[in-house]
Amino acid sequence: MRPIFFYAPYLKKYETDYLSSDDGWRPISVTGTSCAFSCKHCETRVLEGMEDGSTKAKFESVLERVSSSGQKGVILSGGSSPRGDVPIWKYTEVLKKYPNLTVIAHTGVVKSREIARRFKESGVKIGLLDMVGDQETIDQVLGQPFTVKDYLNSFRYLKEEGIKIAPHVIVGLSRKGIEGDLHALELLSEVNPDAVIIVGLMPLVGTPYKNTREPSPEELAKVLLRARELFSNPVMLGCARPRGKAYISVERLAVDQGIDGMAFPSEETIEYAKDKREVVLSHACCGNVIHDFLLRVSI
Ligand code: SF4
């Protein structure tokens, strides 16, 4: 079986005997805590845990700190502009001073090839965006003026500009239930993703979704295995997902069923995997599996 890649970026506190997030790639929000939208499952809470890169001086000081500490990359993120994209290119000149850093970015919705080109010019190597597969969810959960086609086109424009894409599917997000999540995944076949990342809805305190049911381990496993059937490129279990004893079975299944890796594996999963597959540990964002995989495995 292929090697399995385990990641621990600085997106949450994580510590095992094998890997710690203390040295992980930093997430930086280029808009601080502001966003043009107020998606019910986030309401900008996710941005609060990131480094504040809302001004050029703040952004540059974070890049300087991570670069001089020897880290190899950063995760750029932020709130969206009303057009849907995360305007990281406002810092293109700063980013050019740090060619040693691999730039992975949450792009938001990319409405044109011209916008994709700006991401490319700013040095983005891998673009991350959640795939949403039904209009009901875009309207009622995200409250955005976009269509399913806008989401698919975002990936197309990024790829046309030579940026690798790692779409995320959030199990539990669709208003249509698990069938809606599976549909979002299946639509991705149209855009040939370089990696597919399966995450799970996490009800965040302080959001309208705080009492929403998390996806069950069975639901997460179902979408993960369907992703493995559909795609030969890397399939990952991403960082945002419900955790706890019941979900260890999903991590174990990922090891057994040839999933290419995960962010923040439990210590017992790392030990389980060591007996079965070659284990690769990294402090990158798990989307970087696209690069790590190419270096080690040819399909
Ligand atoms: S799921 Fe993976 S690629 Fe996405 S933000 Fe988390 S670590 Fe990065």
Side-chain angles (χ1 to χ4, degrees):
M1 224 186 282
R2 299 163 166 183
I4 187 161
F5 298 85
F6 291 139
Y7 294 89
Y10 194 74
L11 288 164
K12 60 176 261 181
K13 185 79 194 140
Y14 168 86
E15 187 78 52
T16 66
D17 282 353
Y18 300 93
L19 202 54
S20 154
S21 60
D22 285 349
D23 301 319
W25 290 17
R26 257 47 183 180
I28 311 171
S29 170
V30 299
T31 63
T33 54
S34 62
C35 180
F37 303 111
S38 195
C39 303
K40 286 185 180 154
H41 64 299
C42 172
E43 282 205 330
T44 74
R45 296 301 308 271
V46 170
L47 302 177
E48 289 168 12
M50 299 184 180
E51 301 266 9
D52 180 4
S54 58
T55 66
K56 190 174 168 209
K58 287 179 182 171
F59 184 75
E60 188 156 5
S61 109
V62 183
L63 282 197
E64 182 55 37
R65 174 158 43 86
V66 298
S67 175
S68 55
S69 73
Q71 285 180 23
K72 297 194 171 65
V74 282
I75 310 161
L76 301 189
S77 193
S80 303
S81 71
R83 193 175 49 196
D85 43 75
V86 178
I88 71 153
W89 55 81
K90 62 182 178 173
Y91 298 136
T92 296
E93 293 314 312
V94 180
L95 286 162
K96 284 196 168 139
K97 295 186 196 169
Y98 298 91
N100 53 319
L101 294 174
T102 298
V103 179
I104 294 186
H106 287 111
T107 59
V109 171
V110 179
K111 288 296 286 283
S112 69
R113 181 102 186 245
E114 170 57 27
I115 295 168
R117 191 169 306 132
R118 292 192 208 169
F119 281 110
K120 175 75 175 175
E121 285 165 2
S122 63
V124 172
K125 295 288 184 292
I126 296 174
L128 314 175
L129 173 64
D130 299 333
M131 178 61 201
V132 191
D134 61 273
Q135 197 59 43
E136 206 176 319
T137 302
I138 296 174
D139 294 343
Q140 295 178 18
V141 181
L142 309 182
Q144 294 174 341
F146 306 125
T147 62
V148 173
K149 198 169 166 203
D150 288 328
Y151 274 84
L152 285 170
N153 280 342
S154 300
F155 296 118
R156 291 193 179 105
Y157 294 135
L158 290 166
K159 282 206 88 152
E160 281 165 12
E161 285 301 321
I163 295 174
K164 305 274 188 203
I165 56 164
H168 293 37
V169 173
I170 308 178
V171 183
L173 184 72
S174 175
R175 297 280 294 177
K176 294 177 179 296
I178 189 78
E179 293 309 319
D181 300 326
L182 286 165
H183 180 62
L185 178 70
E186 280 156 11
L187 285 175
L188 287 174
S189 305
E190 295 180 23
V191 297
N192 188 24
D194 300 286
V196 173
I197 305 197
I198 307 300
V199 292
L201 184 74
M202 296 177 67
L204 293 177
V205 177
T207 69
Y209 260 39
K210 63 179 184 298
N211 295 322
T212 307
R213 186 180 73 82
E214 298 176 329
S216 66
E218 293 73 25
E219 288 167 329
L220 259 183
K222 188 170 183 184
V223 179
L224 194 62
L225 292 182
R226 182 71 184 128
R228 181 70 296 161
E229 279 170 10
L230 286 170
F231 301 101
S232 56
N233 280 342
V235 171
M236 304 291 290
L237 196 50
C239 63
R241 61 180 200 271
R243 310 185 73 86
K245 273 222 159 317
Y247 291 88
I248 301 260
S249 61
V250 184
E251 298 185 3
R252 202 170 265 238
L253 181 94
V255 175
D256 291 339
Q257 297 298 321
I259 299 302
D260 294 287
M262 66 192 80
F264 308 124
S266 66
E267 188 153 320
E268 77 182 80
T269 298
I270 302 177
E271 274 157 16
Y272 181 71
K274 273 179 19 189
D275 292 334
K276 307 208 158 207
R277 297 170 63 178
E278 180 194 352
V279 168
V280 183
L281 304 173
S282 167
H283 288 110
C285 182
C286 81
N288 201 52
V289 72
I290 295 170
H291 294 149
D292 295 336
F293 187 84
L294 282 175
L295 284 175
R296 287 181 164 256
V297 187
S298 54
I299 299 175

